[in-house]
Amino acid sequence: MGVMATDPCALAQMPPTPDFDSQTDLISLHYDHAPDKDDGHSAAADRTLLESLYGREWLSTHVVAVSGTYGLNKDQFNPGSDAVMDVAFHDVGGWLSAHRDWDGTVATLAGRWEAVIESGGDVWVKEGGQSDLTAAVVRQLRSTGPELPVGDRVHVVQHSNWNEEQTTPEALEYVKQTVDYIRIPDANTFLNIAGGDPEFEAAARAHPVFGPIWGAAFAYYDPAERLDFSDTGELLFLLDFGEMPIDEFRKHYLAN
């Protein structure tokens, strides 16, 4: 249930409305894939949502996807997630594996983020995991480009207590102190169904464009056990959609 607009105390706790610009900004999609497999469903949902809104060509320029954005949970990484990432992002610029090459991923992200900021855009981090990688990229940017307005132009959206608790404490504090850190309510309340949702699953598998991506996500994490793309709640927020329940997501992006 959303917050009632008539409650001034609740309004004071709500994060500000995001100001994402699809023409200039970059979305950095971060997935820890450690240990929960919900990131697989989120990868499919993120691709579905973004391509539906902006088209396939847009994604290569305005989105970068990263796997292995873990922290203290590093030893629990699920290598089987690579198959989902391949299907979800191979044809829109590919994806980065921080698990296989942490330093190279930091360098690549720093380059992408810097180019966007220098051209007048903002970077929006959908923190679907921990903030250790984000901290490393921000440190790199502040070291090589101290004149860049990183603090004003990098926005990190986080929804999970668990993700924060699994972040190295120093990294979490650094990110909170140096960039625009936006904490939103836990999206598990509306994007997570134990036992799954057969109607959603059928629509996702049958979709003529996104069916193969959802099929890979479901092969990785059986939706009959749980349908969970709660990390997509961060993407919904930064796109200013608010809280969109699973059934509404199906109707808008998979039913037609």
Side-chain angles (χ1 to χ4, degrees):
M1 179 180 294
V3 176
M4 297 298 291
T6 55
D7 185 348
C9 294
L11 281 175
Q13 299 173 10
M14 290 297 288
T17 301
D19 191 23
F20 173 73
D21 188 332
S22 64
Q23 300 301 310
T24 61
D25 295 356
L26 175 76
I27 298 176
S28 206
L29 299 174
H30 293 190
Y31 307 96
D32 60 345
H33 289 296
D36 295 339
K37 295 183 176 183
D38 60 316
D39 289 296
H41 292 181
S42 288
D46 294 347
R47 170 66 186 270
T48 299
L49 177 61
L50 290 171
E51 183 172 334
S52 296
L53 292 172
Y54 303 114
R56 184 171 300 184
E57 291 185 7
W58 181 90
L59 272 75
S60 297
T61 302
H62 295 279
V63 174
V64 57
V66 192
S67 177
T69 62
Y70 41 54
L72 300 176
N73 53 331
K74 174 181 180 179
D75 292 342
Q76 297 175 292
F77 178 74
N78 285 304
S81 61
D82 286 3
V84 183
M85 296 296 290
D86 282 339
V87 178
F89 299 109
H90 74 97
D91 59 345
V92 287
W95 57 281
L96 302 173
S97 174
H99 180 69
R100 288 197 294 267
D101 184 3
W102 183 274
D103 292 341
T105 298
V106 170
T108 299
L109 284 178
R112 290 287 301 272
W113 294 13
E114 180 178 13
V116 169
I117 294 171
E118 286 184 337
S119 66
D122 286 22
V123 175
W124 297 83
V125 180
K126 196 214 76 165
E127 200 75 283
Q130 292 63 57
S131 292
D132 291 64
L133 184 74
T134 299
V137 176
V138 172
R139 288 185 191 278
Q140 178 75 14
L141 286 174
R142 297 183 76 200
S143 173
T144 59
E147 76 288 350
L148 288 173
V150 175
D152 296 326
R153 305 279 282 282
V154 174
H155 315 276
V156 177
V157 184
Q158 175 62 268
H159 84 112
S160 167
N161 285 335
W162 191 88
N163 283 345
E164 290 185 333
E165 292 164 359
Q166 292 297 312
T167 302
T168 303
E170 295 80 5
L172 181 60
E173 184 63 22
Y174 180 77
V175 172
K176 286 184 174 182
Q177 293 297 322
T178 56
V179 301
D180 179 28
Y181 188 89
I182 306 168
R183 178 56 199 266
I184 65 172
D186 195 325
N188 279 286
T189 59
F190 61 96
L191 291 176
N192 185 336
I193 301 178
D197 181 330
E199 190 173 10
F200 184 99
E201 180 185 351
R205 289 186 184 277
H207 195 277
V209 176
F210 307 118
I213 301 172
W214 283 101
F218 291 157
Y220 173 63
Y221 188 17
D222 186 353
E225 177 182 346
R226 182 178 297 275
L227 177 64
D228 181 359
F229 50 102
S230 53
D231 288 334
T232 300
E234 297 165 350
L235 185 58
L236 289 169
F237 168 80
L238 73 87
L239 296 174
D240 202 18
F241 283 101
E243 297 185 356
M244 179 184 292
I246 284 176
D247 197 51
E248 288 301 310
F249 189 97
R250 175 187 61 80
K251 291 176 182 177
H252 279 286
Y253 302 108
L254 295 172
N256 298 319

